[in-house]
Amino acid sequence: MTFTVPEATRVDLGLDGRRLSFLDFGGPGRPLLALHGHFSEGRTFARLARELAPGWRVIAPDQRGHGESERPADYGRRGYLADAVAVLDHLGLGPVVVLGHSLGGVNAYQLVAHHPDRVGALIVEDMGAVVADDLSFCLSWPHRAPDREALVTGLGASARYLGDAIRAYDDGWGLAFRPEDMVASQRLLTGDHWDDWLATECPALLVHGVRSDTLSAGHAQAMTDRRPHTRLVHLPTGHTVHETDPEGFAAAVRAFLGDLSSLGDP
């Protein structure tokens, strides 16, 4: 029987006086929580949700200050994790597989470290145990433009990475986040997170883009060597593996999940 992935259902939660929004791609499969990176939002995982159905049900939040989720008072580490737990609590889920790209990758392995009972397996897309990136370049992006074309022109070469984040507002065209928030979030993400990466031994997959300027091959190998039950896959992409090579990324994830299924995990 052919299974057709339904349109994702958008769910809005009220947390501390702000909206936290997420997409639930539904279906009968086991739950997978997918956490996007800076400048992105939950729908970046729509293709992956189709690729994994019907065996896996993807739940993809718009993390705080991104997409349809409102800006929080701060972008600290505890807040991101509390948001993820709130989504799982609302849906009554756990343990789940958690997947994260970039910012979402750190959020994913810190979620495992701080809430090990909520997560059975971990997938990290091109993110290290030490974070030292700087997003201040985005402060030059326009806040509003009179039309989409003008906004794309103002974004320059970055526009090709921001297509999903472009929105029409009452006062013009802009992005579904505030650049100054992204800089603040990145500043609070920066640091040495080896303790969190090594805190648990649940099955893990680390996907490395070989042309990434965020995660080096050497660091990816060290993360794999130092953490038990961790598999490393290299794909011929830059940092955003799931968008650049969606078929290769889905195949790597599907193979990892297939092994979990054969073991009866998570």
Side-chain angles (χ1 to χ4, degrees):
M1 182 175 69
T2 300
F3 178 79
T4 302
V5 180
E7 288 294 320
T9 299
R10 180 166 292 281
V11 180
D12 292 338
L13 303 181
L15 295 179
D16 302 322
R18 63 183 167 85
R19 180 176 65 249
L20 179 70
S21 187
F22 67 90
L23 295 175
D24 184 348
F25 288 88
R30 290 188 287 177
L32 185 150
L33 181 71
L35 304 175
H36 62 77
H38 283 125
F39 310 137
S40 191
E41 56 194 88
R43 62 175 169 165
T44 191
F45 294 114
R47 177 163 178 170
L48 180 66
R50 293 193 297 270
E51 294 281 354
L52 297 182
W56 292 87
R57 168 192 174 190
V58 174
I59 297 108
D62 290 355
Q63 298 197 84
R64 50 177 49 202
H66 295 76
E68 300 302 314
S69 290
E70 293 178 331
R71 304 170 71 195
D74 71 84
Y75 287 91
R77 300 284 75 232
R78 290 182 180 180
Y80 276 111
L81 302 190
D83 288 351
V85 170
V87 171
L88 297 181
D89 285 346
H90 177 78
L91 296 173
L93 298 177
V96 300
V97 173
V98 60
L99 176 155
H101 171 239
S102 196
L103 160 72
V106 178
N107 293 348
Y109 66 69
Q110 288 187 336
L111 182 65
V112 181
H114 293 270
H115 302 277
D117 58 317
R118 308 305 297 268
V119 180
L122 170 66
I123 301 169
V124 173
E125 178 190 348
D126 207 69
M127 197 58 174
V130 177
V131 180
D133 294 324
D134 177 12
L135 299 186
S136 59
F137 63 86
C138 74
L139 295 175
S140 64
W141 294 345
H143 175 63
R144 288 288 186 270
D147 53 44
R148 183 186 180 95
E149 183 178 358
L151 178 62
V152 169
T153 298
L155 293 171
S158 298
R160 65 188 182 122
Y161 302 108
L162 300 169
D164 285 344
I166 293 176
R167 301 278 199 279
Y169 294 95
D170 291 341
D171 58 346
W173 286 74
L175 297 167
F177 55 81
R178 296 283 187 93
E180 61 270 28
D181 291 352
M182 302 299 97
V183 173
S185 176
Q186 181 64 41
R187 187 181 304 118
L188 293 168
L189 181 67
T190 296
D192 184 326
H193 305 303
W194 273 110
D195 286 349
D196 289 322
W197 173 248
L198 299 175
T200 61
E201 297 185 2
C202 68
L205 171 66
L206 177 60
V207 181
H208 170 238
V210 298
R211 297 191 297 274
S212 172
D213 56 5
T214 297
L215 177 63
S216 71
H219 189 70
Q221 189 63 57
M223 291 174 68
T224 307
D225 291 344
R226 292 182 61 183
R227 188 185 186 282
H229 312 302
T230 301
R231 177 187 306 180
L232 175 61
V233 172
H234 302 281
L235 289 174
T237 71
H239 180 51
T240 312
V241 185
H242 72 278
E243 291 185 351
T244 308
D245 184 8
E247 292 182 359
F249 182 74
V253 171
R254 200 161 43 233
F256 174 72
L257 296 176
D259 288 344
L260 294 180
S261 298
S262 68
L263 295 172
D265 292 328

